[in-house]
Each structure stands twice: as C-alpha cells, then as structure tokens.
Amino acid sequence: MTISTITAKGISVSLDLTVGHLADMVVDSGGRQLRPLHRAPWIDEPRETLPKDLPEGTVRLSGDFLCAPFSRSDVEEAPLHGWPANSAWDVVESAATADGWRAVYRLRHKVMGATVDKILTLRDGHPFLYQEHVFAGGRGAISVAHHPMIAMKGGGRLAFSPKRFAATLDEPLEPDPARGRFRLAYPARSADLGHFPATGGGTLDLTEYRMEDRREDFVTLVEADHGGPGWTALARSAEDDLVVVLKNPAELPITMLWLSNGGRDYSPWNGRHLGVLGIEDGRAAIGHAASIGDNWLKREGVATAFTLGEGQGVSFRHVIGAMPLSGGEPPHAVTTENGRMRLAGASAWEVPFDSDFLRIGPTAAA
C-alpha cells in the first residue's frame, strides 16, 4: 500500500494510491482530532483470507473514492465502480500553496478513453477537503459518483438540502435472508424523508441512523430546485461532531444513501461492517448501461451521465468537512457566502469555507 498525505493548518488527508480511496482525514478543532471517514475492518487482514473474486476496491474499502461508472461496469470491462475505485493512481504534483496544499493525481487506467485526474485541495484553517475530478477526452458517456463513507459508534441524526423525493430500487441489496437483511420497502417512494415505507408495513425516518437496526439498505434522494448547494449533514452521537458533505446539484443531482450496519452475513462482511453511512452524491443510475440508456431517473428529468468527447473536458466538485458539535442535532440550513459557511439549527455558527469552489455563485443558500 502506498499512501500520499497532504496537510494544511488544522487538517490532513491521506490517499491510498493503490485504489484511489481516501485512507484517512483528520480535522484538528477545539483540541480534538475528528476522524469522520470509515475504514473496513478487514483491510489489515491477509489477502488470502478474503474471497478471491473480491474487487480490489472492496479489499481496500475506505474513506471516499470516485465511482466511474457507478455500480456495474457493463459497457466497458472494469471491476465494480470502475477502474478509479480499484486501481492505481500516480502523483502528478503535490505542493504547498500560499494558503494550504494542492495535489493532483492521475489514474493509470483510462475510462472510456478519457484521462482522469483527482485534485485535492486543503486550505489553512478550513475544516474541509475540496475535491475535483476532471475527465479529459474520451468517448461516449460515463456515470459518476463520490462514495464517502462515514463511521459511527452510536448512530446519528441527518439533515439535508431540499429534496424532491426519496426512492428505493425494485429489489433490496440483500434479498436473501440467509445472506443479509434490510428495513426499507422495495420499491417505494416518499416526498417525506421522515416517513419512508418500511418492509412489512409502517414507516422509517431517513433522518435517523439507529445502531440497533441491523440492515443493508440503499435509497436515492433527488435534489429539489433551490438554487443553492446540495448538502448532507450528519450529527454523530458518540463522536459529538458534525460531518458535512456538499455538492453542486447541477453536476451531481442525486444523493444515494447506503446504510450498512451489520446487514451482510457473508465474507468479508460477516456482520461486522457496522455503523457505516455512505453519502454518495452522483450523476448515475445503477450500472453503466442503465445510466446511459433509459432509466427511471431520466424519466424524472434527472441527468445520469456526463458526455465525453475528444478535445473536451468534464469536471465536477465535491466537499467533505467535519467540526465539533454538542447536542446531537444537525443544522436545518446551510448557507455559503464571502468565504464563510453559516450553519443554523438550535444555534447558529460559522466556519471558514471557499464559497466559490462549488461554482454555484457568490451567494448560495438552501
């Protein structure tokens, strides 16, 4: 394993260059070290003890990574979630800047003929990782998603920018009770995130992550038209902190939640993958072929792929941050303006933030 670590005042981020996953993110704040990102419990186990057909991205599952395509690679041959999540990246440049650090990494594989760069930026005093991915050239179209996984010891509470609705797939991730379990109904849909249909009847609250609910669930949230950044805020109960994930909805119009809490009983999961929430902002359906063909999201007017082309470039941006929080309640509003982020809930507070980074405008609110 080869790790590339970048640092700025109050924050450090490490990238596992063997698969392009974030191996660690540490935010120093208020005398504490906040570590929001998940690391699979089998990473340090000998490779021969794991299933032989396990994709390298699952073997080294950690932090966040780029999916291109998202889920099945059924157009161009590649492992689950594509080469960006399963193969080597090289350091193109990594150096201090006037106010932090900037690093550029390049995927050794090409994706649909395109060169793929990952740009990580840290700013002094900002509790955020700023990410950009750039596809240069290529052909056809590609679905994409970020795959940040947040780890929790005691569950947490969630809040979101405005969403049109939430929906599950036709089938759960683990339909066989001999292999796993789920709590949500499939297929199902609701405009009320606090009351989503549950399997067997009743409803569940998508804004609450409960450790006692052993489950493997997947639900897609479609962004509403609100003119601001798309955001997800997770108040982690045991950790007494707040994790914030942000996007530009014009680039990444959906947020897919992966609730993985002891819901798989087979190797390497073995019921031990606990307290994990994937907050997967994307432009995708399930699988490459579905994303570039007809799919239920397209019928809702939601883009599910970027078009590639020789002499053309495609890029999208994403932000992950963490900060101390007491009280366990996430904010109900997030605004960014003039180099600051303002979070409003039971109380209101501000933190430094690059308000131009997501390319939404000088003032962005939701």
Side-chain angles (χ1 to χ4, degrees):
M1 178 175 64
T2 303
I3 297 292
S4 172
T5 298
I6 64 175
T7 61
K9 184 178 180 181
I11 187 170
S12 67
V13 170
S14 298
L15 183 71
D16 181 349
L17 293 173
T18 60
V19 287
H21 293 213
L22 296 181
D24 200 9
M25 174 178 172
V26 183
V27 176
D28 296 312
S29 183
R32 300 171 56 196
Q33 283 198 332
L34 310 180
R35 276 189 159 90
L37 298 181
H38 170 63
R39 189 172 186 268
W42 55 79
I43 282 183
D44 295 323
E45 296 176 0
R47 179 64 179 89
E48 60 269 20
T49 66
L50 304 177
K52 292 181 179 179
D53 60 351
L54 203 64
E56 283 305 301
T58 306
V59 172
R60 309 254 1 121
L61 184 68
S62 66
D64 176 34
F65 52 89
L66 171 65
C67 307
F70 181 77
S71 187
R72 295 184 297 272
S73 297
D74 48 10
V75 172
E76 181 179 62
E77 185 176 356
L80 179 72
H81 293 316
W83 292 117
N86 291 276
S87 62
W89 294 70
D90 293 317
V91 181
V92 176
E93 59 182 84
S94 182
T97 62
D99 62 348
W101 200 281
R102 181 179 183 272
V104 181
Y105 306 92
R106 180 161 295 164
L107 182 66
R108 290 183 190 173
H109 270 276
K110 290 194 174 183
V111 175
M112 298 295 288
T115 299
V116 184
D117 285 352
K118 181 190 300 285
I119 305 170
L120 305 184
T121 302
L122 302 178
R123 300 193 184 282
D124 292 335
H126 289 216
F128 298 102
L129 165 63
Y130 301 95
Q131 293 192 73
E132 180 175 13
H133 285 96
V134 180
F135 288 69
R139 63 189 180 280
I142 187 70
S143 63
V144 302
H146 275 268
H147 203 292
M149 296 165 289
I150 313 305
M152 287 170 280
K153 294 180 180 178
R157 298 284 301 179
L158 287 145
F160 306 95
S161 54
K163 308 300 181 191
R164 286 171 53 193
F165 61 87
T168 49
L169 304 172
D170 289 342
E171 297 286 340
L173 298 178
E174 298 298 340
D176 183 351
R179 290 171 59 84
R181 62 206 57 83
F182 55 95
R183 294 295 308 278
L184 299 178
Y186 295 80
R189 174 171 171 153
S190 177
D192 181 358
L193 302 188
H195 296 86
F196 193 90
T199 184
T203 62
L204 290 172
D205 186 352
L206 295 181
T207 70
E208 184 177 14
Y209 193 111
R210 305 195 318 163
M211 293 300 292
E212 58 265 36
D213 290 342
R214 292 295 188 259
R215 64 197 300 190
E216 201 74 23
D217 275 307
F218 185 86
V219 59
T220 298
L221 313 183
V222 175
E223 201 76 18
D225 294 327
H226 53 72
W231 57 268
T232 301
L234 171 62
R236 299 194 296 173
S237 299
E239 293 79 6
D240 282 327
D241 64 12
L242 182 74
V243 182
V244 185
V245 179
L246 303 103
K247 64 178 183 178
N248 182 339
E251 297 172 352
L252 306 174
I254 62 172
T255 298
M256 298 167 282
L257 300 181
W258 175 39
L259 299 97
S260 183
N261 189 37
R264 285 175 169 155
D265 296 331
Y266 53 90
S267 181
W269 312 88
N270 296 332
R272 58 180 171 157
H273 198 253
L274 299 168
V276 179
L277 176 66
I279 303 173
E280 304 167 17
D281 294 320
R283 187 185 187 98
I286 302 300
H288 194 174
S291 297
I292 64 177
D294 182 44
N295 61 69
W296 71 274
L297 283 165
K298 276 188 180 177
R299 292 190 290 272
E300 295 282 353
V302 179
T304 54
F306 283 113
T307 300
L308 305 174
E310 290 301 324
Q312 301 177 21
V314 167
S315 73
F316 51 95
R317 295 180 174 185
H318 191 259
V319 182
I320 305 172
M323 60 200 75
L325 177 72
S326 59
E329 287 298 321
H332 58 70
V334 175
T335 58
T336 64
E337 184 177 13
N338 298 327
R340 308 288 292 179
M341 174 187 289
R342 181 176 176 82
L343 304 101
S347 60
W349 72 101
E350 293 185 353
V351 292
F353 182 76
D354 183 351
S355 49
D356 295 327
F357 180 76
L358 290 174
R359 303 184 286 208
I360 294 173
T363 300

